[in-house]
Amino acid sequence: MSAPLVIAARDTLEQIDAWGEHLRGERRLSPKTLEAYSRDLEQFLSFLTGHIGNPPTIADFAAIRTADLRGFMATRRSSGAGARTLARGLAGIRSFIGYLEREGHANGAAFRAMRSPRQPKTLPRPLTAPLARRVVEMDEQLDEEPWVAARNAAVLALCYGSGLRISEALGIRRVDAPLDPSATLRVTGKGGKIRLVPVLPVVAEAVGEYLRLSPSQSKPDGPLFLGVRGGPLKARIIQLAMAKLRGALGLSDSATPHALRHSFATHLLANGGDLRAIQELLGHASLSTTQVYTAVDTERLLAVFEMAHPRGSNRPG
């Protein structure tokens, strides 16, 4: 870790060098992390130099208040830094202050009292309905063993057709195999919470085809989905199968098994599904978690509007 380009007092530079040796030797951080931490601290030193009117000393670091940190964050925001950049940028500064505190040179209370910026919720990226249907079809599965192709299709069908997490699909017992489209499936979700989800005919057919082709089946209380060696199917196997489909169908890296669950919710909402009902189907404890899909659908509607309206900015010609 090189000394910062911004001027600092001699005692501060000495502590920065010692901190760098600590990170390299005892913490064994990667060169990229060291570079990022150095850049974080350099930005803070630049702010402090202008804020206090002189190159910062260790005494200046010891006197830092929460208000000073807020001023630094406000300066970074005004330069265009977003919430993620700000949160990541605090990492190196907090590391240095933590080192100074352990060495008895500063008090990190102000930094502990400073909350990281609230991160914006990442909008899920659903597949289009035609692509989601292709992904869950047995004929699209890229495996030479028909029963494996049927198994993968059945798991993915549960993710898209019933909105299951991949762990929930793989947690289904053989005795609870969803073969009756008129029934509901009991699913054990996060925190052991039980919910009921519908079984579409296409999902029941996919599971039935897997059981018909499977060379071995577990005991009634054993897992429904098995690996090629007869043990419980691992989520990684389905993730790899989905990766193959991404390559074959030209899908983006965001097209994962979990994206099928997002697609389930988004497509229900787009076709008039009630938000509360979708919350129950997904097993979300809070409605606010489900409401992220309203933003997804709003983005889709705005995109359609921009393309279709005569004055839309994205309209061709």
Side-chain angles (χ1 to χ4, degrees):
M1 176 181 292
S2 58
L5 298 177
V6 177
I7 296 175
R10 182 183 296 275
D11 60 346
T12 300
L13 292 176
E14 290 174 352
Q15 291 301 319
I16 291 173
D17 287 339
W19 171 59
E21 289 299 321
H22 166 72
L23 295 180
R24 275 192 299 268
E26 296 182 31
R27 296 283 304 280
R28 296 185 178 180
L29 297 187
S30 70
K32 286 188 176 180
T33 300
L34 292 172
E35 182 182 350
Y37 277 14
S38 181
R39 186 169 56 249
D40 298 338
L41 184 58
E42 184 176 318
Q43 291 170 342
F44 190 53
L45 287 171
S46 177
F47 166 78
L48 282 180
T49 298
H51 185 60
I52 64 179
N54 59 263
T57 65
I58 291 301
D60 292 325
F61 272 95
I64 288 174
R65 302 167 301 165
T66 304
D68 300 321
L69 296 177
R70 292 199 183 100
F72 170 66
M73 300 290 278
T75 300
R76 296 284 290 125
R77 282 195 187 93
S78 65
S79 67
R84 286 190 179 87
T85 301
L86 291 172
R88 197 215 57 77
L90 282 175
I93 305 168
R94 280 178 166 150
S95 174
F96 180 59
I97 292 297
Y99 174 79
L100 291 180
E101 188 172 38
R102 287 191 298 273
E103 295 297 314
H105 298 306
N107 187 332
F111 284 82
R112 287 190 291 273
M114 183 70 182
R115 292 183 179 180
S116 293
R118 185 186 296 269
Q119 300 298 306
K121 290 186 177 180
T122 301
L123 295 180
R125 300 181 65 179
L127 281 70
T128 64
L131 281 175
R133 285 195 293 267
R134 288 188 66 183
V135 164
V136 303
E137 289 177 0
M138 178 179 170
D139 291 343
E140 295 286 357
Q141 306 304 312
L142 304 174
D143 200 288
E144 295 179 359
E145 289 285 345
W147 81 268
V148 173
R151 179 200 66 190
N152 295 349
V155 174
L156 296 175
L158 282 162
C159 293
Y160 178 53
S162 299
L164 270 57
R165 301 177 178 91
I166 188 171
S167 59
E168 294 170 345
L170 299 185
I172 299 173
R173 300 183 303 164
R174 168 68 182 81
V175 70
D176 297 322
L179 300 172
D180 183 358
S182 64
T184 55
L185 175 65
R186 288 174 59 88
V187 177
T188 303
K190 288 185 176 180
K193 183 180 178 182
I194 304 295
R195 70 182 189 276
L196 299 178
V197 298
V199 179
L200 299 176
V202 66
V203 174
E205 291 172 9
V207 174
E209 184 66 2
Y210 154 65
L211 290 175
R212 186 182 70 82
L213 295 175
S214 179
S216 61
Q217 296 179 18
S218 62
K219 295 179 180 179
D221 61 347
L224 169 60
F225 295 108
L226 301 176
V228 293
R229 296 182 180 178
L233 180 61
K234 304 295 184 183
R236 182 59 180 160
I237 300 300
I238 299 300
Q239 291 165 348
L240 289 173
M242 189 72 177
K244 291 180 181 179
L245 284 171
R246 286 200 299 268
L249 300 178
L251 304 177
S252 69
D253 290 343
S254 64
T256 63
H258 202 65
L260 291 173
R261 173 175 155 90
H262 294 323
S263 304
F264 164 84
T266 304
H267 297 165
L268 281 179
L269 186 63
N271 286 283
D274 177 73
L275 196 62
R276 285 283 184 185
I278 295 173
Q279 176 193 359
E280 292 296 323
L281 292 173
L282 292 174
H284 286 162
S286 170
L287 184 62
S288 63
T289 307
T290 315
Q291 284 175 329
V292 69
Y293 294 101
T294 62
V296 175
D297 198 46
T298 299
E299 283 192 350
R300 182 190 64 84
L301 291 174
L302 288 174
V304 171
F305 169 79
E306 287 290 338
M307 288 298 297
H309 195 280
R311 300 300 296 273
S313 60
N314 294 327
R315 186 174 174 83

